[in-house]
């Protein structure tokens, strides 16, 4: 009996050893294959090391009631924030090419070009293959219907129509930071969308992003959602500016701004006008964005329960492909507002760093800095 136990432990230890070796080989190969993709390495590290805080609400015995309450909380939060923002009247009509100042030197983008099956195949390869409860069939099966997908995407682009069934986001409530108490105010909405909707968004993202980069329209001091830029480059830029000021024996006054629910409170009318005035998008292309933004809705899915659907008249979905780029365009005016007051500012999405330097021995410089800060 004792000999059998020894043999069992020996085999068990051998199996553990082989599994450990297999993991080491897997992760070594994974790091080698993705050495130039810092984003993928970071996400993999986060999955391995980050805590997984499960949401627990002991006061709720009915999960459906819980999901509906969370959904109501997200919408009420947006309504409350917007109620505290000074309202401005925005023209409901879509703008035309006439009467545009700075963009007169640019060619307008009035329509999107159609995609070939090769284009769609490339989009599928670089897209996450996650399935959503809103998908009519598993993503692996949808991705195999290349000719059908190509026709659907091109039909959306040519008709300036984004189907209503694609506009409902399935929201997963996640803690904003690990370790926070599981209360509603500490939850953030992350959207899960239909695979075909995300694929169509990717097609529009590529055409819009490429236009911005080709014409130099991407905000210079915005590091988010931009090739060759990351949170690391944003931090290095700010740090380098502060160190350079120190070399000049200057002090730096730094103000950090983090907008509350920035993605969720974006005004669709203002966003459409920004797409036109800042990026030069007109005609059927602009109408596509109008269709994409209008009549959106969301449901909360948590603990196996699904909430009722609630309309979302504002914002862009977090977790989408196109949403972050639209927010970047929407907030690009920030740099124009502050350029007359500050020499430099830097942003990563809605996290903005405003800073200026001054000589500590100069009373006028100090007064100017304090006056700017008070303003």
């Amino acid at each position: 009996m004792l000999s059998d136990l020894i043999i069992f432990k020996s085999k068990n230890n051998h199996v553990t050893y082989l599994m450990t070796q297999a993991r080491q080989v897997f992760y070594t190969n994974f790091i080698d294959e993705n050495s130039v993709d810092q984003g993928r390495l970071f996400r993999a590290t986060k999955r391995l090391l980050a805590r997984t805080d499960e949401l627990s609400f002991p006061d709720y015995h009915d999960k459906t009631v819980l999901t509906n309450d969370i959904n109501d909380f997200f919408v009420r939060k947006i309504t409350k924030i917007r109620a505290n923002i000074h309202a401005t009247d925005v023209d409901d009509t879509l703008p035309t090419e006439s009467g545009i100042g700075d963009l007169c030197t640019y060619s307008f983008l009035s329509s999107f070009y159609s995609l070939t099956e090769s284009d769609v195949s490339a989009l599928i390869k670089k897209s996450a293959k996650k399935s959503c409860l809103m998908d009519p069939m598993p993503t692996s099966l949808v991705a195999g219907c290349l000719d059908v997908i190509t026709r659907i995407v091109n039909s959306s682009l040519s008709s300036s129509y984004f189907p209503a069934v694609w506009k409902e986001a399935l929201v997963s409530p996640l803690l904003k930071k690990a370790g926070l108490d599981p209360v509603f105010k500490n939850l953030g909405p992350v959207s899960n969308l239909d695979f075909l909707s995300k694929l169509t968004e990717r097609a529009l993202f590529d055409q819009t992003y490429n236009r911005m980069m080709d014409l130099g329209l991407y905000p210079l001091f915005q590091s988010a959602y931009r090739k060759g830029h990351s949170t690391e480059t944003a931090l290095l830029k700010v740090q380098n500016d502060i160190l350079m000021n120190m070399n000049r024996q200057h002090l730096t006054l730094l103000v950090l701004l983090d907008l509350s629910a920035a993605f969720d409170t974006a005004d669709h009318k203002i966003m459409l006008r920004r797409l036109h005035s800042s990026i030069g998008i007109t005609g059927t292309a602009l109408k596509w964005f109008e269709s994409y933004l209008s009549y959106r809705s969301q449901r909360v899915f948590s603990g196996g329960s699904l909430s009722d659907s609630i309309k979302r008249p504002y914002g862009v979905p977090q977790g989408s492909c196109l949403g972050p780029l639209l927010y970047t365009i929407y907030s690009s005016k920030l740099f124009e507002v502050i350029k007359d007051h500050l020499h430099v500012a830097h942003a990563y999405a809605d996290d903005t760093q405003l800073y200026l330097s001054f000589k500590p021995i100069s009373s006028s410089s100090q007064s100017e800095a304090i006056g700017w800060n008070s303003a």
Side-chain angles (χ1 to χ4, degrees):
M1 193 73 179
L2 180 59
S3 61
D4 292 341
L5 181 60
I6 293 174
I7 293 174
F8 174 79
K9 287 185 175 180
S10 177
K11 290 182 178 180
N12 189 44
N13 290 338
H14 182 64
V15 170
T16 302
Y17 171 78
L18 292 177
M19 292 179 64
T20 301
Q21 290 294 104
R23 290 191 187 98
Q24 290 177 352
V25 172
F26 172 80
Y27 285 114
T28 299
N29 293 337
F30 180 84
I31 292 171
D32 291 340
E33 293 171 1
N34 298 278
S35 58
V36 295
D37 191 343
Q38 294 185 8
R40 191 170 186 184
L41 290 176
F42 175 79
R43 289 190 293 271
T45 303
K46 185 178 180 180
R47 286 194 298 269
L48 288 171
L49 302 180
R51 289 176 51 185
T52 55
D53 295 302
E54 295 185 2
L55 296 179
S56 177
F57 297 90
D59 293 338
Y60 283 89
H61 302 289
D62 190 327
K63 297 298 184 181
T64 302
V65 174
L66 173 61
T67 54
N68 279 319
D69 285 353
I70 293 176
N71 206 14
D72 289 338
F73 170 80
F74 286 149
V75 174
R76 287 198 309 271
K77 178 181 178 180
I78 297 168
T79 303
K80 183 178 180 180
I81 292 174
R82 287 190 55 86
N84 293 327
I85 299 175
H86 178 65
T88 56
D89 293 329
V90 179
D91 189 357
D92 289 343
T93 59
L94 287 179
T96 61
E97 296 182 9
S98 61
I100 300 300
D102 296 338
L103 282 175
C104 285
T105 57
Y106 300 144
S107 60
F108 288 94
L109 178 63
S110 59
S111 61
F112 296 109
Y113 63 78
S114 298
L115 276 63
T116 65
E117 289 191 10
S118 296
D119 295 329
V120 175
S121 177
L123 290 180
I124 293 174
K125 287 180 180 178
K126 65 180 181 181
S127 299
K129 304 303 187 294
K130 297 178 180 178
S131 293
C132 172
L133 286 179
M134 317 298 285
D135 288 323
M137 63 179 71
T139 300
S140 57
L141 296 179
V142 176
C145 305
L146 189 58
D147 57 336
V148 176
I149 294 176
T150 304
R151 290 199 297 269
I152 292 174
V153 173
N154 285 334
S155 176
S156 175
L157 302 187
S158 62
S159 64
S160 301
Y161 178 71
F162 196 77
V165 293
W166 291 355
K167 297 182 185 181
E168 183 155 85
L170 198 63
V171 172
S172 298
L174 302 177
L175 289 175
K176 296 176 182 178
K177 293 182 181 179
L180 292 177
D181 293 332
V183 294
F184 287 1
K185 68 178 182 179
N186 290 334
L187 299 178
V190 176
S191 300
N192 193 6
L193 304 166
D194 183 287
F195 177 72
L196 281 178
S197 75
K198 290 187 290 187
L199 207 60
T200 306
E201 285 188 38
R202 170 59 67 176
L204 270 294
F205 174 94
D206 288 347
Q207 296 189 41
T208 305
Y209 177 85
N210 291 338
R211 172 181 174 79
M212 293 173 66
M213 298 305 294
D214 291 343
L215 297 178
L217 301 177
Y218 207 98
L220 181 61
F221 296 114
Q222 173 62 267
S223 287
Y225 321 113
R226 185 179 185 182
K227 291 180 181 178
H229 293 69
S230 63
T231 52
E232 182 180 0
T233 57
L235 288 171
L236 288 174
K237 175 65 170 66
V238 176
Q239 181 190 39
N240 181 72
D241 289 343
I242 293 175
L243 291 176
M244 292 297 290
N245 290 332
M246 291 174 64
N247 287 339
R248 297 164 51 210
Q249 297 184 341
H250 281 205
L251 295 178
T252 300
L253 181 61
L254 174 65
V255 177
L256 306 176
L257 302 178
D258 183 11
L259 303 179
S260 179
F263 278 60
D264 298 322
T265 56
D267 189 288
H268 293 166
K269 298 175 186 177
I270 296 176
M271 188 172 293
L272 289 171
R273 300 197 72 82
R274 190 79 73 246
L275 282 165
H276 176 64
S277 63
S278 299
I279 312 300
I281 295 178
T282 65
T284 58
L286 189 61
K287 288 181 179 178
W288 186 94
F289 281 108
E290 182 185 30
S291 176
Y292 172 80
L293 292 169
S294 62
Y295 305 108
R296 301 198 69 93
S297 60
Q298 72 176 35
R299 293 187 176 199
V300 167
F301 181 77
S302 180
S305 296
L306 187 64
S307 74
D308 297 330
S309 178
I310 293 185
K311 299 297 182 184
R312 285 289 306 276
Y314 306 106
V316 290
Q318 298 187 50
S320 68
C321 168
L322 194 55
L325 181 65
L326 288 177
Y327 177 78
T328 298
I329 297 170
Y330 178 79
S331 61
S332 60
K333 280 288 184 180
L334 171 66
F335 297 101
E336 295 184 26
V337 171
I338 65 178
K339 68 180 180 180
D340 294 331
H341 306 281
L342 293 174
H343 295 294
V344 66
H346 208 90
Y348 188 90
D350 57 330
D351 292 324
T352 307
Q353 293 78 45
L354 309 177
Y355 51 102
L356 57 81
S357 64
F358 59 92
K359 295 180 179 179
I361 60 174
S362 172
S363 59
S364 60
S365 295
Q366 293 182 46
S367 299
E368 181 182 349
I370 294 173
W372 166 80
N373 187 38
S374 300

